[in-house]
Amino acid sequence: MAHYCRICACSKPNEQFSGKGHKSHICKECSKKPKDERCAIDQENEIFVFMRQSTISRKNIARLHKLKLSANQRVAELAAITLAVALVKPHKKCRLKVLAKEHRELFIKASESGLIYAHHY
């Protein structure tokens, strides 16, 4: 039976996972990557999940404040954009319409970073 690796987003056979890899859903190849790189991928995925949610909650906003201070530049940038979106329109309904009409610069930043695509899932 295939297992899903949350780092490389691939389904791989059982043999590609170590004992600890099964539990954490990380294949052997991805477990060889540096810990900073794996954390950055996890944090990016977390930010994209926030954009997919119907409501970005207060706890999510607090988490975005922490991610905005990340050492990884990409994660910090995505967190800052998502935080700005959450403060403007935390609910998903008509979020893109409001951003496009009233907050054009933020809409452009979100589309350039790829966060707009996460919104549609």
Tab-separated table of all heavy atoms in Angstrom, residues 4-42:
chain	number	residue	atom	x	y	z
A	4	TYR	N	1.866	8.500	1.654
A	4	TYR	CA	2.021	9.863	1.156
A	4	TYR	C	3.102	10.581	1.948
A	4	TYR	O	3.073	10.619	3.179
A	4	TYR	CB	0.683	10.609	1.295
A	4	TYR	CG	0.706	12.012	0.790
A	4	TYR	CD1	0.641	12.285	-0.568
A	4	TYR	CD2	0.797	13.082	1.674
A	4	TYR	CE1	0.663	13.586	-1.040
A	4	TYR	CE2	0.814	14.382	1.215
A	4	TYR	CZ	0.744	14.627	-0.139
A	4	TYR	OH	0.772	15.918	-0.599
A	5	CYS	N	4.073	11.175	1.240
A	5	CYS	CA	5.114	11.978	1.879
A	5	CYS	C	4.652	13.430	1.897
A	5	CYS	O	4.351	14.000	0.844
A	5	CYS	CB	6.435	11.847	1.130
A	5	CYS	SG	7.740	12.908	1.784
A	6	ARG	N	4.615	14.034	3.066
A	6	ARG	CA	4.100	15.395	3.165
A	6	ARG	C	5.113	16.440	2.744
A	6	ARG	O	4.756	17.594	2.522
A	6	ARG	CB	3.609	15.687	4.582
A	6	ARG	CG	4.664	15.681	5.630
A	6	ARG	CD	4.044	15.860	7.013
A	6	ARG	NE	4.991	15.598	8.050
A	6	ARG	CZ	5.738	16.522	8.630
A	6	ARG	NH1	5.625	17.770	8.262
A	6	ARG	NH2	6.585	16.192	9.569
A	7	ILE	N	6.367	16.066	2.571
A	7	ILE	CA	7.389	17.013	2.147
A	7	ILE	C	7.442	17.107	0.621
A	7	ILE	O	7.346	18.187	0.052
A	7	ILE	CB	8.773	16.632	2.717
A	7	ILE	CG1	8.730	16.552	4.238
A	7	ILE	CG2	9.845	17.602	2.240
A	7	ILE	CD1	8.416	17.855	4.934
A	8	CYS	N	7.585	15.976	-0.058
A	8	CYS	CA	7.678	16.001	-1.524
A	8	CYS	C	6.323	15.821	-2.201
A	8	CYS	O	6.227	15.892	-3.426
A	8	CYS	CB	8.667	14.959	-2.030
A	8	CYS	SG	8.238	13.250	-1.675
A	9	ALA	N	5.284	15.602	-1.426
A	9	ALA	CA	3.909	15.466	-1.922
A	9	ALA	C	3.763	14.337	-2.932
A	9	ALA	O	3.088	14.473	-3.946
A	9	ALA	CB	3.416	16.779	-2.508
A	10	CYS	N	4.405	13.210	-2.656
A	10	CYS	CA	4.339	12.050	-3.543
A	10	CYS	C	3.832	10.836	-2.780
A	10	CYS	O	4.062	10.702	-1.582
A	10	CYS	CB	5.725	11.724	-4.098
A	10	CYS	SG	6.413	12.980	-5.147
A	11	SER	N	3.158	9.960	-3.505
A	11	SER	CA	2.794	8.662	-2.948
A	11	SER	C	3.898	7.690	-3.308
A	11	SER	O	4.252	7.552	-4.475
A	11	SER	CB	1.472	8.185	-3.521
A	11	SER	OG	0.426	8.969	-3.035
A	12	LYS	N	4.445	7.040	-2.300
A	12	LYS	CA	5.563	6.126	-2.515
A	12	LYS	C	5.262	4.798	-1.845
A	12	LYS	O	4.458	4.731	-0.913
A	12	LYS	CB	6.847	6.727	-1.942
A	12	LYS	CG	7.277	7.996	-2.667
A	12	LYS	CD	8.609	8.466	-2.177
A	12	LYS	CE	9.043	9.669	-3.005
A	12	LYS	NZ	10.379	10.109	-2.652
A	13	PRO	N	5.931	3.729	-2.304
A	13	PRO	CA	5.691	2.427	-1.688
A	13	PRO	C	6.203	2.373	-0.245
A	13	PRO	O	6.997	3.203	0.194
A	13	PRO	CB	6.469	1.460	-2.582
A	13	PRO	CG	7.444	2.283	-3.308
A	13	PRO	CD	6.862	3.643	-3.409
A	14	ASN	N	5.735	1.391	0.458
A	14	ASN	CA	6.036	1.197	1.868
A	14	ASN	C	7.539	1.154	2.136
A	14	ASN	O	8.005	1.653	3.151
A	14	ASN	CB	5.370	-0.101	2.326
A	14	ASN	CG	5.401	-0.292	3.809
A	14	ASN	OD1	5.476	0.669	4.551
A	14	ASN	ND2	5.336	-1.545	4.241
A	15	GLU	N	8.307	0.598	1.211
A	15	GLU	CA	9.741	0.427	1.403
A	15	GLU	C	10.487	1.765	1.421
A	15	GLU	O	11.620	1.841	1.879
A	15	GLU	CB	10.338	-0.451	0.294
A	15	GLU	CG	9.852	-1.883	0.305
A	15	GLU	CD	8.480	-2.041	-0.354
A	15	GLU	OE1	8.121	-1.219	-1.210
A	15	GLU	OE2	7.775	-2.979	0.026
A	16	GLN	N	9.876	2.807	0.907
A	16	GLN	CA	10.528	4.110	0.838
A	16	GLN	C	10.429	4.900	2.148
A	16	GLN	O	10.920	6.017	2.235
A	16	GLN	CB	9.911	4.949	-0.295
A	16	GLN	CG	10.178	4.398	-1.666
A	16	GLN	CD	11.657	4.440	-2.011
A	16	GLN	OE1	12.339	5.405	-1.718
A	16	GLN	NE2	12.150	3.363	-2.608
A	17	PHE	N	9.809	4.303	3.163
A	17	PHE	CA	9.646	4.965	4.456
A	17	PHE	C	10.362	4.170	5.529
A	17	PHE	O	10.282	2.945	5.559
A	17	PHE	CB	8.151	5.084	4.811
A	17	PHE	CG	7.408	6.049	3.959
A	17	PHE	CD1	6.917	5.663	2.716
A	17	PHE	CD2	7.210	7.350	4.370
A	17	PHE	CE1	6.239	6.558	1.921
A	17	PHE	CE2	6.533	8.257	3.582
A	17	PHE	CZ	6.044	7.861	2.354
A	18	SER	N	11.053	4.868	6.412
A	18	SER	CA	11.693	4.207	7.545
A	18	SER	C	10.656	4.039	8.652
A	18	SER	O	9.505	4.445	8.498
A	18	SER	CB	12.874	5.037	8.039
A	18	SER	OG	12.410	6.246	8.599
A	19	GLY	N	11.064	3.490	9.768
A	19	GLY	CA	10.135	3.293	10.872
A	19	GLY	C	9.556	4.606	11.377
A	19	GLY	O	8.353	4.750	11.568
A	20	LYS	N	10.417	5.612	11.572
A	20	LYS	CA	9.939	6.909	12.022
A	20	LYS	C	9.269	7.671	10.886
A	20	LYS	O	8.443	8.535	11.120
A	20	LYS	CB	11.096	7.736	12.586
A	20	LYS	CG	11.647	7.193	13.872
A	20	LYS	CD	12.758	8.061	14.404
A	20	LYS	CE	13.304	7.487	15.694
A	20	LYS	NZ	14.400	8.299	16.215
A	21	GLY	N	9.651	7.367	9.667
A	21	GLY	CA	9.073	8.042	8.508
A	21	GLY	C	7.596	7.738	8.328
A	21	GLY	O	6.836	8.583	7.867
A	22	HIS	N	7.188	6.520	8.694
A	22	HIS	CA	5.767	6.176	8.605
A	22	HIS	C	4.947	7.098	9.499
A	22	HIS	O	3.916	7.619	9.092
A	22	HIS	CB	5.529	4.731	9.045
A	22	HIS	CG	5.835	3.726	7.999
A	22	HIS	ND1	5.087	3.584	6.864
A	22	HIS	CD2	6.826	2.810	7.902
A	22	HIS	CE1	5.589	2.608	6.124
A	22	HIS	NE2	6.655	2.131	6.740
A	23	LYS	N	5.410	7.276	10.705
A	23	LYS	CA	4.679	8.067	11.687
A	23	LYS	C	4.615	9.543	11.298
A	23	LYS	O	3.577	10.176	11.403
A	23	LYS	CB	5.343	7.917	13.059
A	23	LYS	CG	4.657	8.635	14.179
A	23	LYS	CD	5.392	8.391	15.478
A	23	LYS	CE	4.785	9.180	16.604
A	23	LYS	NZ	5.527	8.999	17.849
A	24	SER	N	5.725	10.080	10.811
A	24	SER	CA	5.778	11.501	10.484
A	24	SER	C	5.456	11.781	9.020
A	24	SER	O	5.455	12.942	8.620
A	24	SER	CB	7.156	12.062	10.830
A	24	SER	OG	8.146	11.363	10.111
A	25	HIS	N	5.207	10.733	8.230
A	25	HIS	CA	4.862	10.854	6.815
A	25	HIS	C	5.957	11.544	6.015
A	25	HIS	O	5.701	12.433	5.214
A	25	HIS	CB	3.523	11.576	6.626
A	25	HIS	CG	2.391	10.904	7.306
A	25	HIS	ND1	1.805	9.760	6.824
A	25	HIS	CD2	1.746	11.199	8.460
A	25	HIS	CE1	0.846	9.378	7.635
A	25	HIS	NE2	0.787	10.228	8.641
A	26	ILE	N	7.203	11.123	6.246
A	26	ILE	CA	8.350	11.649	5.511
A	26	ILE	C	9.116	10.463	4.937
A	26	ILE	O	9.526	9.561	5.677
A	26	ILE	CB	9.266	12.485	6.425
A	26	ILE	CG1	8.496	13.660	7.015
A	26	ILE	CG2	10.479	12.975	5.662
A	26	ILE	CD1	9.276	14.457	8.026
A	27	CYS	N	9.332	10.464	3.617
A	27	CYS	CA	10.052	9.364	2.974
A	27	CYS	C	11.543	9.441	3.298
A	27	CYS	O	12.033	10.436	3.838
A	27	CYS	CB	9.821	9.385	1.464
A	27	CYS	SG	10.537	10.797	0.612
A	28	LYS	N	12.298	8.400	2.942
A	28	LYS	CA	13.720	8.346	3.252
A	28	LYS	C	14.491	9.454	2.542
A	28	LYS	O	15.409	10.040	3.111
A	28	LYS	CB	14.287	6.983	2.861
A	28	LYS	CG	13.845	5.851	3.750
A	28	LYS	CD	14.439	4.537	3.288
A	28	LYS	CE	13.956	3.374	4.129
A	28	LYS	NZ	14.485	2.086	3.642
A	29	GLU	N	14.120	9.755	1.301
A	29	GLU	CA	14.813	10.814	0.552
A	29	GLU	C	14.636	12.168	1.238
A	29	GLU	O	15.589	12.936	1.380
A	29	GLU	CB	14.278	10.904	-0.873
A	29	GLU	CG	14.698	9.770	-1.765
A	29	GLU	CD	14.103	9.910	-3.151
A	29	GLU	OE1	13.853	11.042	-3.602
A	29	GLU	OE2	13.889	8.864	-3.777
A	30	CYS	N	13.420	12.474	1.628
A	30	CYS	CA	13.148	13.768	2.257
A	30	CYS	C	13.723	13.852	3.659
A	30	CYS	O	14.057	14.940	4.123
A	30	CYS	CB	11.647	14.042	2.277
A	30	CYS	SG	10.971	14.284	0.636
A	31	SER	N	13.845	12.718	4.334
A	31	SER	CA	14.419	12.747	5.681
A	31	SER	C	15.913	13.056	5.633
A	31	SER	O	16.491	13.475	6.635
A	31	SER	CB	14.162	11.431	6.413
A	31	SER	OG	14.815	10.365	5.755
A	32	LYS	N	16.539	12.896	4.472
A	32	LYS	CA	17.955	13.245	4.306
A	32	LYS	C	18.159	14.743	4.084
A	32	LYS	O	19.277	15.237	4.224
A	32	LYS	CB	18.547	12.475	3.125
A	32	LYS	CG	18.619	10.984	3.354
A	32	LYS	CD	19.126	10.266	2.125
A	32	LYS	CE	19.052	8.762	2.324
A	32	LYS	NZ	19.417	8.040	1.091
A	33	LYS	N	17.101	15.455	3.743
A	33	LYS	CA	17.211	16.901	3.538
A	33	LYS	C	17.497	17.586	4.870
A	33	LYS	O	17.134	17.076	5.927
A	33	LYS	CB	15.908	17.460	2.955
A	33	LYS	CG	15.636	17.031	1.545
A	33	LYS	CD	14.357	17.650	1.034
A	33	LYS	CE	14.072	17.198	-0.383
A	33	LYS	NZ	12.829	17.763	-0.898
A	34	PRO	N	18.118	18.760	4.825
A	34	PRO	CA	18.362	19.492	6.081
A	34	PRO	C	17.044	19.845	6.778
A	34	PRO	O	16.019	20.072	6.139
A	34	PRO	CB	19.071	20.772	5.618
A	34	PRO	CG	19.561	20.490	4.252
A	34	PRO	CD	18.682	19.442	3.673
A	35	LYS	N	17.110	19.880	8.096
A	35	LYS	CA	15.912	20.136	8.886
A	35	LYS	C	15.306	21.505	8.570
A	35	LYS	O	14.087	21.650	8.537
A	35	LYS	CB	16.227	20.037	10.379
A	35	LYS	CG	15.003	20.115	11.243
A	35	LYS	CD	15.301	19.838	12.681
A	35	LYS	CE	14.003	19.880	13.465
A	35	LYS	NZ	14.185	19.487	14.847
A	36	ASP	N	16.146	22.506	8.320
A	36	ASP	CA	15.651	23.843	7.984
A	36	ASP	C	14.813	23.815	6.711
A	36	ASP	O	13.775	24.465	6.631
A	36	ASP	CB	16.810	24.823	7.802
A	36	ASP	CG	17.569	25.057	9.090
A	36	ASP	OD1	16.991	24.792	10.163
A	36	ASP	OD2	18.728	25.505	9.017
A	37	GLU	N	15.274	23.060	5.720
A	37	GLU	CA	14.544	22.964	4.452
A	37	GLU	C	13.197	22.267	4.646
A	37	GLU	O	12.178	22.703	4.101
A	37	GLU	CB	15.399	22.208	3.431
A	37	GLU	CG	14.843	22.200	2.034
A	37	GLU	CD	15.760	21.493	1.053
A	37	GLU	OE1	16.967	21.383	1.319
A	37	GLU	OE2	15.237	21.043	0.001
A	38	ARG	N	13.192	21.190	5.437
A	38	ARG	CA	11.934	20.477	5.705
A	38	ARG	C	10.953	21.362	6.472
A	38	ARG	O	9.757	21.392	6.166
A	38	ARG	CB	12.190	19.200	6.494
A	38	ARG	CG	12.773	18.076	5.649
A	38	ARG	CD	12.938	16.837	6.465
A	38	ARG	NE	14.113	17.031	7.324
A	38	ARG	CZ	14.353	16.353	8.429
A	38	ARG	NH1	13.526	15.440	8.860
A	38	ARG	NH2	15.442	16.581	9.143
A	39	CYS	N	11.456	22.114	7.437
A	39	CYS	CA	10.590	23.021	8.206
A	39	CYS	C	10.023	24.116	7.321
A	39	CYS	O	8.854	24.497	7.465
A	39	CYS	CB	11.363	23.629	9.369
A	39	CYS	SG	11.684	22.468	10.701
A	40	ALA	N	10.837	24.626	6.410
A	40	ALA	CA	10.368	25.675	5.503
A	40	ALA	C	9.247	25.158	4.613
A	40	ALA	O	8.246	25.854	4.389
A	40	ALA	CB	11.520	26.195	4.662
A	41	ILE	N	9.376	23.942	4.118
A	41	ILE	CA	8.329	23.344	3.277
A	41	ILE	C	7.055	23.164	4.090
A	41	ILE	O	5.955	23.474	3.613
A	41	ILE	CB	8.817	22.012	2.679
A	41	ILE	CG1	9.934	22.268	1.663
A	41	ILE	CG2	7.662	21.251	2.020
A	41	ILE	CD1	10.652	21.026	1.193
A	42	ASP	N	7.176	22.667	5.326
A	42	ASP	CA	6.006	22.494	6.189
A	42	ASP	C	5.326	23.834	6.473
A	42	ASP	O	4.104	23.947	6.445
A	42	ASP	CB	6.406	21.848	7.519
A	42	ASP	CG	6.488	20.339	7.442
A	42	ASP	OD1	5.902	19.758	6.510
A	42	ASP	OD2	7.144	19.745	8.321
